[in-house]
């Protein structure tokens, strides 16, 4: 009797376990079916931009150097001893200012004796050496008491009127500037000055194929010599045009065909071929088609996509 009851209980337990396993399988299957039925989102996350009508300017910034084109060397006009030195480096001197005086050996030896005999002869007076230009003293080669010979270089003066900005212009850019044209010069401290194109060098450097261009600064000539500045050469400009950020414009591998991805509704963008004009580092001019301020253009998420795509705007 106990054996029959034990066998019945064992069969009942087996059936319960079997039912439990079946229930678990059904639940898992339903869950997997629910996951499988969930639709997959194929929308491309994108950001948008609109047109810019502030104009565009294509330019190139070139290095140039502040310099004095004329450096005057003042030479001794007699042989003798420097009786006085009236100038020092960095002094600004004017035309006609006495810089040195030279007393010849004869005057130094015989001057007092002859003057005692006849004071009206004024023998032994020092010979004056004067500046022949306005400018800044950059070098003094002698000091008081030195013996110099006629023709010795005493001092170097940068002619103030010869101050200029010397630009080494690549010859392929020559068509973009002309004599008399006004250019913008930017100093290292971000100060901006204007300069006029004065003249072109008649030769081109054989190695770099650049041509020296002399620019005359307008206004105060307070730029130190040898300072390296930036000169902006405008290549093209259009103040009334439509532009887009450079990343919004796409092209093929040969860069012969260009297009943008334009929104046609809230979640769809299509490929629109364009014709581009002036291009800078961050903007591209759109010549056609005509875009409006209401047009929304893909800025990111536009690379390597189909001609028509579903999108999800993550930043407007």
């Amino acid at each position: 009797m106990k054996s029959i009851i034990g066998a019945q209980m064992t069969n009942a337990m087996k059936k319960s376990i079997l039912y439990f396993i079946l229930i678990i399988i059904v639940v898992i299957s339903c869950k997997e079916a629910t996951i499988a039925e969930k639709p997959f989102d194929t929308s491309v996350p994108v950001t948008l931009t609109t047109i810019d009508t502030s104009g565009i300017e294509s330019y190139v910034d070139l290095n140039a150097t502040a310099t004095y084109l004329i450096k005057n060397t003042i030479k001794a006009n007699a042989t003798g001893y420097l009786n006085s030195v009236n100038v020092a480096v960095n002094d600004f001197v004017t035309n006609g200012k006495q810089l040195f005086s030279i007393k010849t050996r004869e005057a130094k030896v015989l001057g007092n004796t002859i003057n005692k005999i006849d004071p009206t002869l004024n023998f032994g007076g020092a010979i004056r050496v004067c500046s022949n230009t306005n400018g800044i003293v950059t070098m003094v080669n002698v000091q008081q008491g030195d013996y110099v010979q006629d023709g010795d270089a005493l001092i170097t003066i940068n002619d103030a009127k010869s101050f200029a900005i010397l630009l080494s212009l690549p010859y392929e850019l020559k068509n973009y500037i002309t004599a008399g044209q006004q250019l913008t010069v930017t100093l290292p401290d971000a100060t901006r000055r204007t300069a006029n194109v004065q003249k072109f060098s008649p030769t081109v450097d054989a190695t770099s194929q650049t041509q020296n261009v002399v620019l005359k600064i307008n206004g105060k000539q307070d730029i130190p010599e040898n300072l390296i500045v930036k000169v902006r050469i405008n290549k093209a400009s259009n103040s009334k045009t439509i532009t887009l950020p450079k990343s919004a414009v796409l092209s093929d591998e040969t860069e012969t065909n260009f297009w943008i991805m334009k929104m046609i509704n809230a979640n769809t963008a299509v490929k629109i071929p364009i014709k581009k004009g002036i291009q800078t580092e961050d903007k591209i001019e759109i010549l056609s088609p005509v875009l409006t301020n209401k047009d929304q253009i893909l800025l990111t998420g536009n690379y390597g996509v189909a001609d028509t795509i579903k999108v999800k705007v993550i930043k407007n």
Side-chain angles (χ1 to χ4, degrees), residues 18-307:
L18 181 61
Y19 289 147
F20 181 72
I21 293 173
L22 289 174
I23 291 171
I24 292 175
I25 292 172
V26 170
V27 171
I28 294 174
S29 299
C30 291
K31 188 174 182 180
E32 289 180 349
T34 303
I35 295 174
E37 290 173 1
K38 186 178 180 180
F40 182 72
D41 187 3
T42 58
S43 299
V44 179
V46 299
T47 59
L48 303 178
T49 187
T50 56
I51 64 170
D52 182 2
T53 57
S54 60
I56 189 170
E57 183 179 54
S58 176
Y59 59 84
V60 58
D61 287 335
L62 299 176
N63 287 336
T65 305
T67 187
Y68 290 88
L69 301 179
I70 300 176
K71 300 179 185 293
N72 291 304
T73 300
I74 306 299
K75 298 180 180 181
N77 53 8
T79 298
Y81 296 92
L82 287 176
N83 192 54
S84 64
V85 177
N86 306 318
V87 69
V89 173
N90 296 326
D91 285 353
F92 183 87
V93 297
T94 57
N95 189 13
K97 178 183 178 179
Q98 180 177 333
L99 306 177
F100 306 95
S101 63
I102 300 175
K103 182 171 286 190
T104 63
R105 180 179 298 177
E106 294 78 11
K108 194 170 185 178
V109 174
L110 302 176
N112 292 333
T113 302
I114 295 176
N115 286 332
K116 287 180 181 178
I117 298 173
D118 187 354
T120 60
L121 294 176
N122 195 27
F123 187 80
I127 301 172
R128 300 170 69 244
V129 180
C130 300
S131 172
N132 60 1
T133 186
N134 298 327
I136 299 173
V137 177
T138 59
M139 185 179 297
V140 178
N141 302 321
V142 293
Q143 56 187 356
Q144 187 173 356
D146 284 355
Y147 180 78
V148 296
Q149 294 185 341
D150 189 5
D152 284 354
L154 305 179
I155 190 175
T156 301
I157 302 174
N158 287 347
D159 190 335
K161 292 182 179 180
S162 72
F163 179 78
I165 302 295
L166 195 62
L167 171 66
S168 295
L169 181 71
Y171 194 77
E172 61 269 20
L173 298 178
K174 185 178 180 182
N175 290 335
Y176 295 111
I177 65 173
T178 57
Q181 181 178 349
Q182 191 173 89
L183 301 177
T184 300
V185 177
T186 304
L187 307 187
D189 63 355
T191 302
R192 291 189 175 183
R193 306 285 291 274
T194 58
N196 292 327
V197 179
Q198 186 182 53
K199 58 184 178 180
F200 293 82
S201 169
T203 60
V204 171
D205 184 84
T207 304
S208 64
Q209 290 296 288
T210 57
Q211 184 176 18
N212 284 340
V213 181
V214 177
L215 311 178
K216 298 296 288 186
I217 287 289
N218 297 323
K220 192 176 181 181
Q221 311 287 322
D222 57 348
I223 301 176
E225 186 180 18
N226 297 323
L227 184 70
I228 296 177
V229 300
K230 294 283 188 181
V231 177
R232 176 159 295 183
I233 309 297
N234 292 322
K235 300 174 68 176
S237 63
N238 192 342
S239 59
K240 297 179 180 180
T241 190
I242 294 172
T243 62
L244 283 173
K246 193 173 182 179
S247 59
V249 179
L250 306 166
S251 70
D252 54 19
E253 293 181 355
T254 59
E255 294 190 353
T256 54
N257 298 306
F258 300 89
W259 66 89
I260 58 175
M261 298 298 294
K262 177 182 172 183
M263 297 289 291
I264 59 173
N265 56 41
N267 57 7
T268 306
V270 296
K271 176 180 178 180
I272 304 293
I274 63 141
K275 182 179 179 181
K276 72 182 187 74
I278 301 171
Q279 179 174 332
T280 65
E281 292 183 358
D282 58 350
K283 293 197 297 185
I284 294 179
E285 181 184 19
I286 309 299
L287 299 179
S288 66
V290 177
L291 302 175
T292 67
N293 291 322
K294 296 181 180 179
D295 291 328
Q296 293 184 313
I297 313 300
L298 268 60
L299 182 63
T300 62
N302 55 355
Y303 181 77
V305 296
D307 293 353

